[in-house]
Amino acid sequence: MDPVLLVASIMVSATPILLAAIGEMVVEKSGVLNLGVEGMMIVGAVMGFAIAVTTGSPVLGFLGAAVASAVLSLSFGLLTQYLLSNQVATGLGLTLVGLGLSALIGSNYEGQRAPSLAKLDIPGLGGIPVLGPMLFAHDFVVYLSLALVAAVWAFLKYTRAGLILRAVGEDHESAHALGYKVVRVRMLAIAFGGACAGLGGAYVSLVRVPQWTEGMTAGAGWIALAIVVFASWRPLGVLIGAYLFGGVSVIQLNLQAAGTTVPVELLSMSPYLITIIVLVIISARGAHGAPGSLGRPFHAAS
Amino acid sequence: MIRLEKRPNPSRLWTGLTPILAVLLTMVVGGFMFALLGKPPLEAIRTIFWDPLFHPQFAGYSRPQLLVKAGPLILIAIGLSVGFRAGIWNIGAEGQYIMGAVCGAAVGLAFYPAETVLLFPLMVIAGALGGWAWAMIPAFLKTRFGTNEILVSLMLVYVAENILASASAGWLRNPEGMGFPGSRNFKQWASVYNDELVINTGMHWGVVAAFIAVIAAYVLMARHIQGFNIRLTGEAPRAAKFSGVSPARIIFLCLGISGALAGMAGLFEVTGPAGQISIDFGSGYGFTAIIVAFLGRLNPFGILLAGLLMALTYIGGELAQLMLGLPGASIQLFQGMLLFFLLATDVFTNYRIRLTGREVA
């Protein structure tokens, strides 16, 4: 297997999960556990695909996917933040709604092909031997996802707004007492997480496959949730986790294509098995770093 | 200004009212959705909720289907509700359902073509054990390493689906099936076929098991000390610990019960309505059962009613697909919306709405 092609395909395979996971990390940093990532991703996948096919522009598809999933995520926000519903149950509900909604919208688009997304030609860098085709011959979304990781890192570490977001996530009572708008911060974080999941979903249907099939995200949203835990809520960890996972799925697919003696089913279940193993290792190590108010409902008594 | 004031205790009135309100809201919003799809909304709602039971032409066929569909939903949801009460989120019931079916079918097929009354009970036990064992994985990992049971149980659904695929294409494939995937058909094997017990009712052993589970769960949760411990763990984990309830035991108990029931549901399905192990055996009952558990307010008798209602939407959805050309996915969305509206209206159960004058900042 050509190592250049291998690294390039790992980057493509990791991008959807990276996008979804970095969004979810921000949501969890604000103290909200949104288990609806899978639902938001699949809605992003179908909306991105539908818009791209209709308009012929993949860029519009990505934009539409981000907006659609952000709107969907706000329904989760409305329920958990204003109507104080249980976050676990509501997140599950969001996934079920998303799966149904996407299947409904997508039924007209099955079997069609998405317009292809142009590779970004970076002048100078693309010409470097080996490294050029490996790292610098991707579409803009791959770079956007990497930039997003850096931006989230800088935002949480260096900006005042990032500090407020972390404060709200660590201890919402204290943040509220200091006068920060807990619910508003969380709604913004939820919408950001939704938009990221939507982008990730659209990347699956527009670039990685590129087709629409029902349930095509196949648990990528859940894996994104696992990666946030694996990353101990740090952006760099999210990047490493997503690329590790991308690597596993690419190698597994290549082995399937090469026709090894290992049963196909064992190979296809390997990403999920490895996710479990990684989760176990992380939890056994005991280093958690979960935000203090994660998953707890906030109801201002005064 | 609208202000929410926490009730000291959840309102009993609203606990019963919210599911009804959620169903009505889903009908209204679903009606709009059907109108958007260019289908007559009132007719669609009637086709889903009324025709399966009372249509002069179709009701004869679809009425028995009600119990066929409700059986596995209730059985799985009862198990899930026990865990949800304790704050243990097993969302991988679909995987436990599949593993129950695969294990039970494997044990049965090992004795093919024996005809003995002992075989079916043995398969039921094997099915329950298969689901139980699959649920023990997240239970063990949670108690031993503190691993999140939500993610592990969900990941195991995908693993189970792959095991199902390999079983149906490989090690459980019908040797006389001319190379087609899928196991032997249990419907053609008299001592194993889980047929209707009373003709034209849809009542098979799985439905009987579901009814027994409802009563057993009621006794457990309302009358038994373990049920009290489960509820205590969910509502006040610290208090539970101080009173000597071992969290690990509760986790094993809850995941074990839900896994075993889901596994049994899978076995009853594979030997009955489904008839064989095939690649598309996993039909999503394990996920829909989550909605059933919540819609039934985690109460055994509520789950019984919710399971019947959800079964009705399945059958009505198929009927609407047939008669009105409604897309099959719209019923999935319909069920998801039901859960959403239930969670939204639940605010009335736990909070009082107070209108107050403008607050001084």
Side-chain angles (χ1 to χ4, degrees):
Chain A
M1 173 90 206
D2 184 2
V4 173
L5 220 63
L6 187 69
V7 174
S9 52
I10 286 174
M11 287 178 79
V12 169
S13 156
T15 299
I17 310 164
L18 177 59
L19 282 165
I22 197 73
E24 177 66 16
M25 196 203 85
V26 172
V27 179
E28 293 191 12
K29 270 287 184 192
S30 81
V32 178
L33 180 66
N34 185 354
L35 289 183
V37 185
E38 178 79 4
M40 301 186 296
M41 271 188 100
I42 193 94
V43 166
V46 75
M47 287 305 285
F49 189 81
I51 294 170
V53 166
T54 317
T55 62
S57 156
V59 178
L60 277 182
F62 277 105
L63 270 177
V67 172
S69 296
V71 169
L72 188 69
S73 73
L74 285 179
S75 69
F76 169 87
L78 175 72
L79 257 65
T80 55
Q81 301 307 305
Y82 291 99
L83 301 177
L84 302 164
S85 66
N86 179 308
Q87 292 182 9
V88 172
T90 314
L92 283 174
L94 185 64
T95 290
L96 295 173
V97 166
L99 288 172
L101 187 64
S102 66
L104 186 62
I105 300 170
S107 52
N108 297 325
Y109 293 93
E110 272 189 46
Q112 297 195 36
R113 257 197 100 75
S116 63
L117 187 60
K119 302 266 181 253
L120 211 61
D121 208 8
I122 306 167
L125 292 176
I128 307 171
V130 185
L131 279 184
M134 194 191 273
L135 303 176
F136 301 111
H138 289 288
D139 48 74
F140 80 97
V141 184
V142 171
Y143 305 116
L144 176 73
S145 69
L146 294 172
L148 215 53
V149 173
V152 164
W153 171 75
F155 169 78
L156 289 175
K157 198 167 163 79
Y158 294 115
T159 68
R160 188 178 156 72
L163 189 64
I164 293 172
L165 184 132
R166 283 189 287 143
V168 165
E170 284 303 333
D171 185 347
H172 50 215
E173 299 292 348
S174 307
H176 175 71
L178 285 170
Y180 297 130
K181 305 287 183 199
V182 174
V183 170
R184 191 179 303 165
V185 169
R186 288 185 170 169
M187 286 301 278
L188 288 171
I190 290 168
F192 175 76
C196 287
L199 284 177
Y203 198 79
V204 177
S205 66
L206 287 175
V207 181
R208 223 181 75 185
V209 176
Q211 245 187 24
W212 164 255
T213 44
E214 210 181 303
M216 70 184 305
T217 47
W222 295 103
I223 287 163
L225 277 160
I227 283 175
V228 177
V229 179
F230 164 81
S232 303
W233 293 266
R234 286 186 318 246
L236 186 66
V238 168
L239 182 70
I240 295 169
Y243 273 71
L244 267 180
F245 187 83
V248 171
S249 24
V250 166
I251 289 167
Q252 165 287 103
L253 280 174
N254 276 319
L255 285 175
Q256 275 191 36
T260 50
T261 48
V262 188
V264 176
E265 288 86 6
L266 190 62
L267 288 172
S268 343
M269 71 171 79
S270 63
Y272 308 107
L273 283 176
I274 287 172
T275 307
I276 294 175
I277 292 166
V278 166
L279 278 174
V280 169
I281 293 169
I282 291 298
S283 48
R285 216 180 50 191
H288 290 306
S293 294
L294 184 60
R296 280 172 39 210
F298 173 69
H299 178 230
S302 59
Chain B
M1 274 293 283
I2 300 169
R3 220 160 56 89
L4 296 176
E5 193 182 279
K6 193 153 177 70
R7 293 177 194 271
N9 288 307
S11 154
R12 293 189 71 103
L13 174 70
W14 278 105
T15 308
L17 270 183
T18 43
I20 299 167
L21 195 61
V23 171
L24 290 176
L25 273 171
T26 311
M27 283 187 183
V28 172
V29 178
F32 274 109
M33 182 180 83
F34 298 141
L36 272 177
L37 290 166
K39 311 287 176 201
L42 284 178
E43 208 183 322
I45 299 288
R46 201 203 60 213
T47 312
I48 293 172
F49 287 98
W50 183 263
D51 283 356
L53 298 178
F54 303 110
H55 192 283
Q57 196 185 338
F58 298 117
Y61 164 75
S62 54
R63 233 178 265 158
Q65 284 293 311
L66 193 68
L67 286 181
V68 171
K69 295 262 197 281
L73 285 175
I74 294 170
L75 201 52
I76 301 172
I78 286 286
L80 292 180
S81 71
V82 174
F84 290 172
R85 280 281 190 95
I88 295 159
W89 300 96
N90 172 13
I91 60 171
E94 181 76 9
Q96 293 139 22
Y97 169 83
I98 290 173
M99 291 311 286
V102 170
C103 289
V107 166
L109 288 169
F111 292 100
Y112 183 85
E115 296 282 359
T116 153
V117 286
L118 293 175
L119 194 52
F120 188 66
L122 182 70
M123 286 169 75
V124 174
I125 293 168
L129 278 177
W132 175 83
W134 208 239
M136 278 303 106
I137 301 172
F140 171 74
L141 294 179
K142 185 170 176 76
T143 49
R144 181 77 180 72
F145 302 108
T147 316
N148 184 317
E149 82 280 14
I150 301 176
L151 292 170
V152 173
S153 65
L154 196 279
M155 289 294 143
L156 286 173
V157 175
Y158 294 96
V159 177
E161 278 174 354
N162 277 299
I163 293 175
L164 174 72
S166 90
S168 101
W171 46 280
L172 283 186
R173 194 178 62 191
N174 184 358
E176 288 148 31
M178 309 204 288
F180 284 107
S183 73
R184 281 182 198 279
N185 199 324
F186 293 109
K187 289 183 181 173
Q188 291 152 5
W189 185 3
S191 45
V192 159
Y193 180 33
N194 176 22
D195 197 4
E196 278 184 330
L197 297 171
V198 185
I199 207 88
N200 266 335
T201 54
M203 184 91 156
H204 60 64
W205 281 112
V207 182
V208 176
F211 289 150
I212 295 172
V214 167
I215 295 164
Y218 171 76
V219 174
L220 171 71
M221 296 312 279
R223 292 278 176 270
H224 198 277
I225 180 69
Q226 286 303 344
F228 175 77
N229 288 343
I230 288 169
R231 282 185 289 143
L232 188 63
T233 306
E235 281 160 32
R238 275 168 60 83
K241 242 186 214 168
F242 288 135
S243 68
V245 180
S246 148
R249 264 191 68 183
I250 295 290
I251 291 168
F252 276 114
L253 181 69
C254 291
L255 276 163
I257 291 174
S258 55
L261 290 184
M264 263 160 86
L267 185 274
F268 288 126
E269 193 71 13
V270 77
T271 49
Q276 61 170 172
I277 290 286
S278 65
I279 191 142
D280 51 2
F281 172 73
S283 45
Y285 280 144
F287 293 113
T288 313
I290 298 173
I291 306 180
V292 173
F294 280 111
L295 193 63
R297 317 302 345 227
L298 307 183
N299 172 304
F301 296 107
I303 288 171
L304 181 67
L305 294 177
L308 289 168
L309 180 76
M310 204 56 85
L312 187 64
T313 65
Y314 265 119
I315 304 158
E318 281 170 19
L319 205 59
Q321 225 173 319
L322 193 76
M323 308 236 300
L324 303 170
L326 210 65
S330 52
I331 222 60
Q332 209 183 338
L333 178 57
F334 207 76
Q335 294 173 343
M337 279 196 316
L338 194 54
L339 176 57
F340 244 55
F341 283 123
L342 180 77
L343 293 167
T345 48
D346 226 11
V347 70
F348 297 117
T349 311
N350 297 316
Y351 295 89
R352 223 178 248 130
I353 312 291
R354 279 285 155 87
L355 294 170
T356 55
R358 244 195 108 69
E359 277 178 66
V360 184

